[in-house]
Amino acid sequence: MRKFALIGYKLGHSFSKKYFTDKFEKEGLDNCLYELFELAHIKQLPGLLIEQKSLEGLNVTIPYKEEVIPLLDDIDDSAKRIGAVNVIRIQDGKTKGFNSDYYGFKKSLEDWMDINPSETKALILGTGGASKAVKTALEDLNVEFKFVSRTASDDTLDYASLNAKPELLDEYRLIINTTPLGMLPNTDSCPDLPYDRIGGGHYLYDLVYNPEETLFMKKGTDRGAKAKNGLEMLHLQAERSWDIWNGNE
């Protein structure tokens, strides 16, 4: 039996198990199984790999996309550049980290926007592991961007400053939420933005996919903005994971 799994903490919201279980059934891959392993600490990973010797691949979700890196035997060059890993291939007892979030986000963004992304500037909401793949994709698309977080730094605005200068949204028309705000069950939460400054020229991309329309997206579409959730990105990155596990990356 070929075994694959997702590791992270708090996996109740996970899309991966259903996606891969359905894929294996649909494609007649009766020898494949996908499981969930909730780890209270990433240091439990080596023990898991010893226990689960048939594991061939892992997906990695929050909060371990960065913390997992020092525990791996090798890292793909693109994942090294991004600074986050969400796919691990296990071969001959050795682990190698990759990043499929980059591919999923970049392709879905290019296919969705009806302008070239480089024609506007972007705000990346959040500074966690997922934001790193978004950052690298935007760099490769020649999109100027700024991070927004609770704490300001040289390259990061805080939400208070953004709300104090709402006219910045006239310039930054692509807004990407990489935080879990709005995800089930906390559907009444959203990033703290000056939403009344958002209009028909804005694009709101939410990496959250459950619910289908987050409060962040609704507040944008109510004002004429275009909005997209993270489901297509997840499908793309999942298929990329499968290619990686099978050596077809």
Side-chain angles (χ1 to χ4, degrees), residues 228-245:
K228 181 176 181 65
N229 69 23
L231 191 59
E232 184 188 30
M233 173 184 168
L234 271 175
H235 288 172
L236 289 165
Q237 72 86 6
E239 289 301 321
R240 181 75 174 151
S241 299
W242 183 243
D243 288 341
I244 289 166
W245 295 331

Side-chain angles (χ1 to χ4, degrees), residues 12-211:
H13 63 276
S14 169
F15 139 99
S16 301
K17 180 164 184 173
K18 182 176 188 324
Y19 183 87
F20 280 106
T21 300
D22 289 350
K23 175 184 174 66
F24 297 156
E25 188 177 332
K26 189 168 67 179
E27 297 182 14
L29 300 169
D30 301 331
N31 63 331
C32 294
L33 181 68
Y34 195 97
E35 296 188 351
L36 301 178
F37 294 112
E38 196 164 286
L39 304 182
H41 197 286
I42 193 59
K43 287 180 181 172
Q44 294 174 270
L45 177 60
L48 176 70
L49 295 178
I50 290 167
E51 275 174 37
Q52 303 287 334
K53 293 190 185 303
S54 57
L55 274 172
E56 293 185 32
L58 294 170
N59 288 121
V60 184
T61 190
I62 51 177
Y64 299 137
K65 292 184 182 186
E66 297 159 281
E67 290 180 36
V68 76
I69 291 174
L71 300 176
L72 301 175
D73 297 306
D74 194 11
I75 303 177
D76 175 71
D77 286 343
S78 63
K80 201 176 292 183
R81 181 180 160 222
I82 292 163
V85 159
N86 75 311
V87 184
I88 299 170
R89 185 169 67 203
I90 306 160
Q91 276 184 336
D92 303 320
K94 298 287 186 185
T95 54
K96 183 171 182 177
F98 298 82
N99 191 299
S100 67
D101 283 338
Y102 166 91
Y103 169 79
F105 172 73
K106 183 172 178 284
K107 178 160 178 47
S108 65
L109 182 74
E110 288 179 293
D111 290 349
W112 171 58
M113 288 185 74
D114 52 14
I115 62 168
N116 188 313
S118 65
E119 291 175 31
T120 189
K121 296 180 182 180
L123 294 176
I124 304 173
L125 310 181
T127 54
S131 75
K132 294 181 179 297
V134 169
K135 166 187 178 285
T136 306
L138 293 181
E139 286 173 344
D140 290 350
L141 291 168
N142 297 311
V143 177
E144 195 176 320
F145 61 86
K146 259 196 180 302
F147 285 104
V148 184
S149 189
R150 286 169 292 188
T151 309
S153 65
D154 288 347
D155 64 347
T156 305
L157 281 169
D158 61 11
Y159 287 100
S161 299
L162 182 57
N163 278 286
K165 287 188 173 181
E167 64 273 13
L168 282 170
L169 290 190
D170 300 344
E171 196 180 343
Y172 291 86
R173 292 182 294 125
L174 172 58
I175 306 172
I176 304 146
N177 178 39
T178 73
T179 79
L181 286 169
M183 183 186 289
L184 276 172
N186 304 310
T187 56
D188 58 350
S189 64
C190 65
D192 181 18
L193 302 176
Y195 288 97
D196 55 1
R197 200 77 182 200
I198 288 172
H202 284 89
Y203 300 82
L204 274 58
Y205 191 116
D206 200 333
L207 267 60
V208 172
Y209 59 90
N210 193 2

Side-chain angles (χ1 to χ4, degrees), residues 210-227:
N210 193 2
E212 190 175 325
E213 182 182 55
T214 60
L215 187 56
F216 164 71
M217 294 169 62
K218 186 171 190 327
K219 281 176 173 274
T221 56
D222 283 351
R223 292 165 175 81
K226 296 180 178 66

